[in-house]
Amino acid sequence: MEQSFDVSVQERDGLPVVFVEGEIDVATAPPLRERLQEQVAAGHATVVVDLTAVSFLDSTALGVLVGALKRSRQAGGSLPLVINEPRILKVFEITGLTEVFPIHPTLDEAVEQSR
Amino acid sequence: MSKLSELDGVELSIPVQADLVVLARLTAATVASRAGFAVEEIEDLRLAVEELCLSLVPSSSQGRLHLSYRWRGDTIEISCSLEAAEGMAPGSAAAAARDSPLAEGEMAAPAADLSLRILDALVDDHGRDVAQGRARAWLRKRVSSTV
């Protein structure tokens, strides 16, 4: 079954930004994990993940992001997230992950504070 | 669309397949909408049902998930049971239920823990048991409940 999902990578002010669109669930989380792993493997310790176009995410998506954050930290970087949708932010709040990830309301702010 | 009566129920049976779990949450959203849930509650239920299914799906990805959606009074109850594939003992189905399809290395423990936190926060009650030899997970959510 085809689901609405896309993941792409662009560079912004020297930082890789992973843009995610659609629903991140057990079926679509693997390609996101691959894109994130590729960035760290390419030597980018800090990777910005823009979730402003995400309409749904579950625990597998959170697990992928937590794993990527661990890898970024091990490489001396971080994994700032861009979230502006209250429904998505709520998932991070109820799981306590707002205390773990740097979360920004705009991409500009995330990039500015991550350089 | 007409509202659901208390006698109404919906059953869904899907193969254990990652790209079909979306059907479980689509059905949950439709049933919750018909039952009078508010938009935010429907979104909560969609995510909760997803987590319910993930908690049962074995890493071996074989078998079927049977979902039951029931509406009574101000409460919707959803249960999900795993019919293990032939040759897979019920006990192993229950054990496998502790893994998620993405339970590879670093993902397994965090995702399972996060799943529990999500269910705790979004529904009024949830649990797991073994019914008729099948691993089963269930949840209850009241309309306009404060979470």
Side-chain angles (χ1 to χ4, degrees), chain B residues 27-138:
Chain B
T27 305
T30 302
V31 172
S33 174
R34 298 282 294 273
F37 277 60
V39 172
E40 188 175 342
E41 293 172 320
I42 292 171
E43 289 303 318
D44 288 348
L45 201 60
R46 272 198 338 134
L47 179 52
V49 167
E50 174 90 2
E51 301 304 333
L52 204 65
C53 292
L54 294 181
S55 73
L56 285 180
V57 174
S59 53
S60 58
S61 295
Q62 291 181 345
R64 293 187 74 84
L65 286 175
H66 297 278
L67 289 111
S68 165
Y69 305 77
R70 292 277 181 273
W71 171 253
R72 187 177 297 273
D74 64 352
T75 303
I76 191 166
E77 178 170 330
I78 302 174
S79 72
C80 177
S81 63
L82 173 66
E83 179 186 359
E86 198 169 329
M88 192 174 181
S92 63
R98 286 189 286 274
D99 294 330
S100 81
L102 284 187
E104 299 167 10
E106 69 200 32
M107 292 300 99
D113 179 52
L114 294 168
S115 189
L116 270 181
R117 289 189 211 178
I118 290 170
L119 282 168
D120 285 344
L122 297 186
V123 301
D124 295 288
D125 199 9
H126 67 93
R128 297 181 53 148
D129 53 31
V130 176
Q132 298 176 329
R134 294 179 182 174
R136 186 181 81 113
W138 54 267

Side-chain angles (χ1 to χ4, degrees), chain A residues 23 58-59 71 90 95, chain B residues 25 44 50-51 106 117:
Chain A
E23 302 195 335
D58 66 9
S59 61
R71 285 189 292 276
K90 177 180 179 178
T95 52
Chain B
R25 58 180 195 261
D44 288 348
E50 174 90 2
E51 301 304 333
E106 69 200 32
R117 289 189 211 178

